[in-house]
């Protein structure tokens, strides 16, 4: 199937009431592992390349592999910039052929976030590429004091203004989801999802879902979440797979042996998450 933007994936998912899996590849080896999972489940995929990975590998280099494999895939794949840091990063990804980009200005004051996001939307329009923005702040697990009530969740009216003034094609919201959670302990505010869905008519995105239980992810999807991001879960699976292989088989020295074992674990976890989202069997 052809490489696609996120637009047709969202249209199909909303019509058929499931969420598009958005999985972060944080090494070259994760790219085929995640695409294989989508192919095995006959699911669409938003293959995400995040800003942290781009601090190690230039956009055009990672794009060369991601785009090549996406074009060969048996299911539709969108190659997406996750948590773009600024206009320059968005431009580099757009010039490299990414078919979707995100600008994350959620830590900035509202006016600055709106202004910067609008600039990215205007730039991406020149390439025919949709843009995801973020309003409300999805914190890192290490930055959330234990026992404190969150005060960073997305305000629905604030989100509506953000969408109207930026022209984003999709919007990431904070509804209790938290980045870098190693255990599934996030507490999702479902009433907030309902309020957001009632007034916002573009796709809603939830990041940081490695820490959300499968039951809560499924409920969020049924309530109208259209894209679910997962990254930490695959990072743990990949590094744990490498560690397990090298510990049990220290005599092995060919690099692709432990890497292949780790890739298999990533694929297995991805397949399970795809089923939770209801995205399996869609293509």
């Amino acid at each position: 199937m052809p490489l696609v933007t996120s637009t047709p994936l969202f249209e199909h998912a909303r019509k058929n009431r499931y969420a598009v899996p958005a999985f972060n590849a944080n090494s070259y080896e994760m790219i085929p592992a995640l695409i294989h999972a989508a192919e095995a489940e006959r699911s669409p995929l938003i293959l995400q390349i995040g800003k942290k990975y781009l601090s190690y590998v230039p956009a055009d280099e990672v794009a060369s592999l991601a785009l090549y494999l996406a074009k060969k895939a048996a299911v539709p794949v969108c190659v997406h910039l996750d948590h773009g840091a600024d206009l320059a990063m968005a431009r580099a990804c757009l010039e490299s052929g990414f078919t979707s980009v995100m600008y994350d200005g959620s830590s900035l004051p509202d006016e600055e976030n709106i202004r910067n996001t609008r600039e990215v939307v205007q730039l991406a329009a020149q390439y025919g590429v949709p843009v995801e923005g973020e309003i409300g702040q999805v914190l890192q697990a290490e930055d959330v004091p234990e026992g404190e009530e969150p005060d960073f969740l997305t305000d629905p009216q604030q989100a509506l203004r953000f969408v109207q003034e930026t022209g984003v094609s999709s919007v990431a919201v904070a509804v209790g989801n938290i980045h870098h959670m190693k255990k599934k302990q996030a507490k999702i505010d479902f009433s907030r999802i309902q309020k957001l869905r009632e007034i916002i008519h573009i796709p809603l995105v939830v990041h940081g879902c490695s820490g959300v239980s499968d039951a809560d992810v499924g409920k969020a999807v049924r309530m109208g979440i259209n894209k679910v991001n997962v990254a930490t879960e695959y990072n743990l699976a990949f590094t744990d797979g490498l560690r397990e292989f090298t510990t049990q088989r220290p005599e092995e020295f060919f690099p692709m042996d432990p890497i292949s074992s780790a890739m298999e674990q990533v694929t297995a976890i991805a397949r399970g998450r795809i089923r939770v989202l209801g995205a399996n069997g869609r293509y």
Side-chain angles (χ1 to χ4, degrees):
M1 283 192 158
L3 174 72
V4 297
T5 71
S6 59
T7 301
L9 301 188
F10 282 136
E11 290 174 350
H12 191 269
R14 297 183 79 179
K15 180 179 179 181
N16 293 281
R17 302 181 65 80
Y18 67 93
V20 182
F23 298 155
N24 284 62
N26 292 309
S27 72
Y28 279 124
E29 292 79 13
M30 281 191 188
I31 294 172
L34 293 170
I35 291 178
H36 290 162
E39 290 180 319
E41 293 296 327
R42 297 192 296 130
S43 165
L45 174 66
I46 295 179
L47 180 71
Q48 303 195 143
I49 309 299
K51 67 179 180 181
K52 186 171 184 179
Y53 187 29
L54 290 174
S55 69
Y56 291 88
V57 181
D60 60 342
E61 291 185 13
V62 70
S64 64
L65 176 62
L67 296 171
Y68 174 73
L69 292 180
K71 291 173 182 176
K72 286 180 60 179
V75 293
V77 178
C78 166
V79 177
H80 172 75
L81 165 64
D82 187 36
H83 290 288
D86 49 38
L87 190 67
M89 181 174 286
R91 186 186 301 277
C93 290
L94 290 164
E95 291 177 348
S96 299
F98 281 52
T99 55
S100 176
V101 296
M102 177 194 186
Y103 169 72
D104 180 5
S106 60
S107 63
L108 303 172
D110 280 0
E111 298 303 327
E112 189 174 355
N113 186 13
I114 288 171
R115 182 173 61 253
N116 293 353
T117 304
R118 187 189 298 124
E119 289 182 1
V120 174
V121 169
Q122 292 170 346
L123 172 65
Q126 299 174 27
Y127 295 82
V129 168
V131 174
E132 176 185 327
E134 183 170 330
I135 188 72
Q137 198 169 357
V138 182
L139 298 182
Q140 314 288 344
E142 53 270 25
D143 296 331
V144 181
E146 187 173 351
E148 288 195 11
E149 289 296 320
D151 59 1
F152 50 85
L153 301 185
T154 302
D155 176 81
Q157 290 298 326
Q158 181 187 35
L160 179 60
R161 180 192 170 214
F162 175 81
V163 168
Q164 291 173 335
E165 296 194 17
T166 60
V168 290
S169 300
S170 60
V171 59
V173 294
V175 292
N177 42 312
I178 297 173
H179 285 298
H180 297 173
M181 288 192 79
K182 297 180 180 179
K183 296 182 179 180
K184 297 185 182 298
Q185 299 175 335
K187 297 179 180 178
I188 299 301
D189 186 341
F190 292 105
S191 64
R192 192 174 299 267
I193 293 176
Q194 182 177 355
K195 292 173 184 175
L196 287 161
R197 187 71 285 169
E198 286 172 354
I199 65 173
I200 293 177
H201 304 299
I202 63 172
L204 293 176
V205 179
V206 175
H207 288 229
C209 284
S210 290
V212 182
S213 70
D214 287 356
D216 282 357
V217 169
K219 182 176 179 179
V221 171
R222 291 191 297 274
M223 293 183 68
I225 295 300
N226 309 118
K227 173 177 177 267
V228 170
N229 285 32
V230 180
T232 298
E233 198 164 353
Y234 304 118
N235 293 338
L236 289 170
F238 194 84
T239 54
D240 285 350
L242 291 174
R243 193 177 298 113
E244 180 181 353
F245 186 98
T246 54
T247 299
Q248 294 180 354
R249 301 167 67 176
E251 74 284 357
E252 300 286 350
F253 60 87
F254 186 66
M256 282 308 300
D257 289 334
I259 288 173
S260 295
S261 176
M263 288 169 66
E264 289 175 2
Q265 296 195 37
V266 170
T267 297
I269 290 175
R271 293 186 66 174
R273 295 300 265 178
I274 286 168
R275 295 183 201 121
V276 169
L277 303 182
N280 53 305
R282 299 295 181 172
Y283 287 88

